[in-house]
Amino acid sequence: TTRLSILRGMLIGLLGIFILLSFQFRSYVEPLIVMAAIPLALIGVVAGHLLMNIPLSMPSILGFVSLAGIVVNDSLLLVLFLKLERQQGGDALGAAAQASRQRFRAIMLTSLTTIAGLLPLLAERSLQAQVLIPLATSIAFGLMASTVLVLLCVPCLYAILNDLGWTSNKNEERE
């Protein structure tokens, strides 16, 4: 059915994201850190639908699937900057804090412009817009929640996994 098709498509997309990020990072753990933003976005999707009093529907799920690709971009930029700080000799905790500070403005601006672009659709009450409003709700509220949570949780997750020895440090590999 349609739900299974969307679920299968999302799983294929997630696998594709994981494979591409694995090649980028040459690691299997660091892509998972980047992809941790996806379930964080689901918090905003559910909260947005409750707040707007809109039932979760097929367009809502399509919005969440679309949102997965958007939130991975913010998380990817953050982890790339974090790894760059680490390569320049910083410790994991300091690099995590520094990466969040450096990318805060860029992540907030891109998220806010996307959300602002969806506001007219969220405010629309015409019959034609009723199909798209759940999709826009998923994207806008999911992006709001994931933006905040990515800036806080992704660096923390990186620092925790580094403490466990699951992340790579180029400085350690050279010695």
Side-chain angles (χ1 to χ4, degrees):
T1 65
T2 306
R3 290 181 188 180
L4 290 176
S5 174
I6 292 173
L7 181 62
R8 186 174 349 131
M10 184 171 183
L11 290 175
I12 291 169
L14 291 174
L15 181 64
I17 290 170
F18 179 79
I19 290 169
L20 289 172
L21 291 174
S22 295
F23 285 131
Q24 169 72 29
F25 290 127
R26 294 188 175 110
S27 165
Y28 294 117
V29 173
E30 289 166 355
L32 295 176
I33 297 170
V34 171
M35 293 175 70
I38 297 170
L40 296 176
L42 187 59
I43 295 169
V45 170
V46 173
H49 279 76
L50 290 173
L51 188 66
M52 299 280 290
N53 199 23
I54 298 172
L56 284 169
S57 60
M58 194 57 65
S60 304
I61 295 168
L62 283 172
F64 175 65
V65 172
S66 302
L67 178 65
I70 297 169
V71 300
V72 162
N73 289 335
D74 290 344
S75 186
L76 176 61
L77 280 174
L78 193 58
V79 172
L80 285 174
F81 267 75
L82 203 154
K83 288 180 64 71
L84 184 64
E85 283 290 317
R86 290 292 312 274
Q87 289 174 357
Q88 294 174 355
D91 65 318
L93 198 54
Q98 185 65 20
S100 283
R101 278 193 297 271
Q102 285 179 338
R103 299 311 303 160
F104 177 81
R105 183 181 300 157
I107 290 172
M108 287 300 289
L109 284 176
T110 56
S111 297
L112 288 175
T113 55
T114 304
I115 293 164
L118 291 170
L119 287 178
L121 182 57
L122 289 174
E124 183 63 44
R125 294 294 157 219
S126 70
L127 188 59
Q128 294 89 348
Q130 295 307 307
V131 175
L132 295 176
I133 289 174
L135 184 136
T137 301
S138 291
I139 294 174
F141 283 92
L143 195 54
M144 277 186 229
S146 69
T147 299
V148 173
L149 293 172
V150 159
L151 286 167
L152 297 173
C153 295
V154 168
C156 292
L157 182 59
Y158 186 91
I160 290 167
L161 293 178
N162 183 71
D163 287 347
L164 295 173
W166 291 2
T167 60
S168 63
N169 183 359
K170 298 294 182 195
N171 290 334
E172 292 173 4
E173 291 172 5
R174 285 187 214 141
E175 293 174 1

